[in-house]
Structure formats: C-alpha cells, structure tokens
DNA sequence: CACGGCCTTTCACTGAGTGAAATAGACGCT
DNA sequence: AGCGTCTATTTCACTCAGTGAAAGGCCGTG
C-alpha cells in the first residue's frame, strides 16, 4: 500500500459497504474498489467473502447489490425496525385522522435518518426515502431532533454552513438557535416551506424510557392546507402515545456518537 | 487459535453480526465472543471497529445492539425495502378490501424471509416478524416460493426432515411434492392450519422482469372465516399488480444461493 | 484473432492480527 | 477500606492472513 500503509481489514470491509448509497445501490467490482479506495484484487477478495456470507448479492448484470442477509441483520437495529414496529400503529392512526404524510425519524450524528413513512397516494409527494438521510436544520423532525440533541451536536450543526433548500430555509445560526429554543418551549416544531416550497411539516418529539428524545414524528402537509399550529396538538399526542409504548419495551441506548 | 487456525478477519466480523438474532438482539461482549467463537480480546478489537463505524451500538446497559448505520445500509437491499416500497401500495389495497393480515416474503436459500406485514389490529395474531425467517414447507408464502424454486432447492428441502408445527403440517415428502405441483397448476397456495391451528393462509407468486418468481404475497385469515379458495383470485390479482410494477423498476438479480 | 475491459489467481513478502498474560474497572460482600 | 470476582482492555513478541505486482482467464467487439 502507498498512501495508507496498514488500514485494518475490518475498515476495508466496512468501506465496501459504505460504497452503497441510495443513489448507487448497484455497483460493479471496479466501482466498488474505487469508492472504497481499495486496489482491485483486494476488493475482489473481500467482496467474495461478503457474497459468500450474503451481505452482498451479485445480480445477473454482474453488479453487486446489498444482500438480503444484511437487510435481515439490519432489521434487528432497535432504532430501525424495532422502533418502527412499536410506532406503526400510532403512525397509522395519525394517517387515518389526517390522510397526510406521516414520518418517523431518528438522529444519527448531525443528520437524521427516516425510519418510516406513511404516504397516502393523495398526499403531498415528499422527497424523502425510508433509510435515507437529511440535514437537521430544515425539516420539522430535524428541528425537533436538533432542539433536544446534546449541546455539542447543536454547536457542531450551528458551526457548519447551513445549506439552503428554499428562500425560506433558515441559514442564519443565530436565528436557528432562537428557533430551537422556541421548539423546546412549545414542544413542537414547524418547518414552513423550508425544504420545498410545496410543503410544510409539523413535528413532535418521542421520548425514550430515560426521558431523552430518541425520535421525532411529523405530519407533512401541502403548503396551502390547514393551519400548522392547529395540527401540533395532534402530532404531539401521537408522539406521547409512542413514547408511552417505548417505556415498556424499548431497550435503552446511548445517543449516537 | 485451536480448531480453526487462520479464519479470515472478514469471517470473524461477519460471525459477530451473525450472533445477533431476533431472539437475542442485545449481547454483551462475552456473549458475542462465545457466539462468534472468538477469543475475547479478538472480539473486543473487532467490536470496537464495528462500533466506530456504526454497525453496532453500545447501550447504556453495556450490551451491544445492531446500529442504525447497518440498518441504513441494509435498507438498500433490493429484495428488502426496495421490494417493500414497490409492493406497499398494493399490500395496503389488499388490506383495505379484506382487513386481514397481509404478508410479503422472499426466499433465501431453503428458508423464507418476511419483508413486510400489514396487520390490522382486529386480524388474527401471527407469529411472524418482519425480517424474520421461517421454513418453506408450511406457510402459504413458503409453499409458493418452494413451488417455483430451482429444482435443487426443492430437493434439498424434500430431503431434509420436515418440521411439524401442527397435526396438519405436511411432513411427508411425497405429499409435499404433489402439493407443490398443485400450486404450480393453480397458481396459488393454501396453507390450512399447517402453521398454527388458528389460521390459514392463501398465497400467490410475484414475478420479476425475467419471469422468475421473486417473492410471494399472502393473506392470513382466522381458520373459521371465509373460504380460502374464494380469496385466491384476490391474492393472485395483487401478486400480478406487484409483478407489473416490478417489471418497470426492479433491477435484475440471481436467485439466492 | 488480436485487442481491451474486467475480474481472478499466483507467488513471495510483510505487517495487521493474534494469543497469553498483565492490567484496569466495576460491583458486591464483609 | 480491603478483598474477591467478573468483565473488558492493553501490552508484547510472534506469525500467518492479507498484500501488491504481475500473470492469467474470460468475455465481447472490431
């Protein structure tokens, strides 16, 4: 090796998995090698082992995809399907009442990950994808997760440039900081056309058994429909219901590093 | 090492992931080491790397769980959430019409894996779990997936002892073989109290773009309700609808090894 | 049939990973 | 406090798993 003498084998294996993204779920061996910054023979060897185990699958087109075995193991993540399954009945209730998009998300470092989405066919189309990531400073769920995040996470987000998605996106750290205080005061967050000009969202926190915010739930509605403040109690109630069900069966965990 | 001088590092990492099962989603380091058949220091080292990447998370109780990052990567599996998302609208339609449990499953080797389940609160409780595995010879989805599996998979299942779940479970290879032929002839499968005495299921195949069966859909109803044969066309129609949506966007893949 | 793209295998070398033992915590008991 | 137990991490010298370079398949294609 030249630039990196002595990267651990484990990190190479994980780098290969990292190469797969929602934008590129199928890759050839050479693409994999390039993205993982590995020489081709090494990539070939590691990939062969991953395929043998079922972490990757090789399609008829010769490209590699994430394998079902890995999906299976991943589904054991308590903040993944575990949280999803506990929250699902409540998400469905909220959908039944409103017939709008319902989203469930958790924070991972300085981003959020969408765990579940219930999207009525008549509701506003949203850009998100289950399993996908997004910045914390624009969406309703993001604002909630950020507002209740540890101080060092907030500072990290506030210190970095805040990407602008629409003219209404908050990109000023000071304004964002005041917005977060407001979220903590009211117990809900409203993102009004800060992600797309078509939609606004109302989000509320979900608490784990230890009292920390572990997830957020939101309702995404078309920009012209309904008063978001009027919807907040509904979303908050759903958040509380889920919090309660977590209290009984959801295992404890540390906030994501 | 004693028994296995020279297991590859990759296989050790994967063995650690393998240690997590639906029955044991949280493990201490020593439990992990024992299940993966690794000496404790080695397990400690590999686990530390997995935690750093996000494949595992350490809870407040000191036990390790599957991390969100792994769930995220796993959600990219085309036969996992990918298939799920394409099928979901149709599954919901089927649920709206019947208000019974709807299940979606794919075959992985000689077992099936449940990808999604829509369970009305008033429907029969089922034993399965999204992300969970089950044998192929008893459930409706299993019979469909087995009936259309490659010959070598069928022979492998028929050669092994068929586990009995209820007095009605088919455990005779000859009878199972005739049952599979019947499934192929009619295009649907009925499992009548072969998993539990409370429920029966009606299942139909889902075809990929190449014409191979890639998944199966089923309706699980209480044993005393409705004629299963009468439900078959409904389930088959849903299967065809999903097959059609796969035709357009579902990437090609080989059958699981 | 020579060429080029793409992947796998061979071979000798070497440093990442190893086991054994020492060390460091965490907790309970007296 | 002092000791025992259980569990996890670190140290250290050794060695085998993983490595790069090059050669070898295996296609399609001109």
């Amino acid at each position: 090796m030249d630039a990196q003498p002595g990267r651990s084998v484990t990190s190479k294996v994980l780098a290969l998995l990292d190469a797969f993204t929602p934008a590129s779920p199928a890759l050839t061996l050479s693409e994999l090698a390039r993205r993982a910054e590995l020489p081709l023979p090494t990539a070939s060897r590691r990939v062969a082992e991953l395929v043998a185990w079922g972490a990757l699958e090789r399609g008829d087109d010769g490209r590699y995809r994430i394998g079902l075995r890995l999906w299976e193991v991943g589904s054991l993540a308590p903040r993944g399907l575990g949280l999803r399954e506990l929250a699902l009945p409540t998400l469905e209730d909220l959908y039944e009442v409103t017939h709008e998009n319902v989203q469930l998300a958790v924070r991972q470092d300085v981003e959020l990950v969408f765990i579940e989405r219930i999207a009525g066919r008549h509701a506003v189309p949203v850009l998100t994808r289950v399993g996908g990531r997004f910045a914390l400073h624009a969406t309703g769920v993001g604002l909630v997760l950020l507002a209740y995040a540890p101080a060092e996470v907030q500072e990290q987000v506030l210190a970095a440039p805040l990407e602008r998605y629409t003219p209404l996106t908050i990109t000023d750290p000071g304004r964002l900081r005041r917005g977060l205080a407001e979220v903590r005061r009211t117990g809900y967050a409203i993102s009004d056309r800060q992600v797309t000009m078509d939609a606004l969202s109302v989000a509320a926190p979900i608490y784990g058994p230890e009292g920390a915010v572990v997830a957020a739930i939101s309702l995404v509605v078309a920009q012209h429909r309904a008063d978001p403040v009027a919807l907040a109690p509904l979303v908050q109630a759903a958040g509380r219901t889920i919090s309660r069900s977590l209290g009984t069966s959801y295992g404890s965990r540390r906030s994501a590093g």
Side-chain angles (χ1 to χ4, degrees), chain A:
Chain A
M1 202 158 288
D2 207 17
Q4 308 217 24
R7 192 143 61 116
S8 81
V9 176
T10 308
S11 80
K12 292 175 194 174
V13 169
L14 296 173
L16 285 169
L17 297 183
D18 252 334
F20 292 91
T21 65
S24 60
L27 298 166
T28 65
L29 183 60
S30 35
E31 286 169 336
L32 264 169
R34 186 162 34 76
R35 283 164 183 258
E37 295 177 28
L38 292 174
L40 216 146
T42 296
S44 171
R45 286 184 270 243
R46 298 298 128 248
V47 164
E49 287 190 277
L50 288 169
V51 169
W53 185 78
L56 300 181
E57 287 176 359
R58 184 170 204 170
D60 291 330
D61 56 0
R63 294 197 295 173
Y64 294 94
R65 291 173 178 78
I66 297 293
L68 191 63
R69 186 76 193 82
L70 200 63
W71 177 80
E72 238 183 293
V73 174
S75 75
L76 294 173
R79 300 203 297 155
L81 286 194
L83 176 57
R84 178 197 105 104
E85 281 177 8
L86 286 166
L88 202 52
T90 310
L91 301 182
E92 275 166 356
D93 284 347
L94 192 53
Y95 174 74
E96 284 307 316
V97 175
T98 61
H99 280 270
E100 303 284 0
N101 289 289
V102 179
Q103 294 186 319
L104 179 69
V106 300
R107 182 178 61 82
Q108 165 90 328
D109 295 315
V110 294
E111 293 179 300
L112 63 84
V113 177
F114 289 103
I115 300 299
E116 182 54 304
R117 188 179 99 208
I118 300 184
R121 253 158 295 180
H122 309 303
V124 217
V126 284
L127 310 162
T128 58
R129 177 192 170 283
V130 171
R133 289 166 166 267
F134 209 85
L136 288 174
H137 68 278
T139 63
V141 275
L143 292 171
V144 166
L145 292 171
L146 186 55
Y148 295 98
E152 64 264 28
V153 172
Q154 295 185 9
E155 294 312 318
Q156 204 180 331
V157 170
L158 288 162
L162 300 167
E163 191 176 345
R164 172 179 296 286
Y165 303 104
T166 74
L168 293 177
T169 306
I170 300 173
T171 56
D172 175 58
R175 237 190 101 207
L176 180 56
R177 200 185 291 272
R178 286 190 297 279
L180 296 178
E182 182 70 7
V183 170
R184 280 189 295 271
R185 194 179 64 75
T186 58
Y188 64 84
I190 291 175
S191 160
D192 186 358
R193 288 164 288 174
Q194 289 163 28
V195 179
T196 76
M197 289 306 279
D198 299 327
L200 59 83
S201 68
V202 187
I206 295 171
Y207 294 88
E210 294 91 359
V213 170
V214 295
I217 181 176
S218 81
L219 213 49
V220 183
V221 304
Q223 176 266 318
H224 56 274
R225 264 206 295 264
D227 174 20
V229 177
L231 289 171
L234 214 56
V235 182
Q236 286 179 300
R240 279 194 300 272
T241 304
I242 299 171
S243 303
R244 224 170 292 129
S245 62
L246 296 190
T248 56
S249 50
Y250 194 47
S252 64
R253 76 207 42 74
R254 270 144 58 95
S255 62

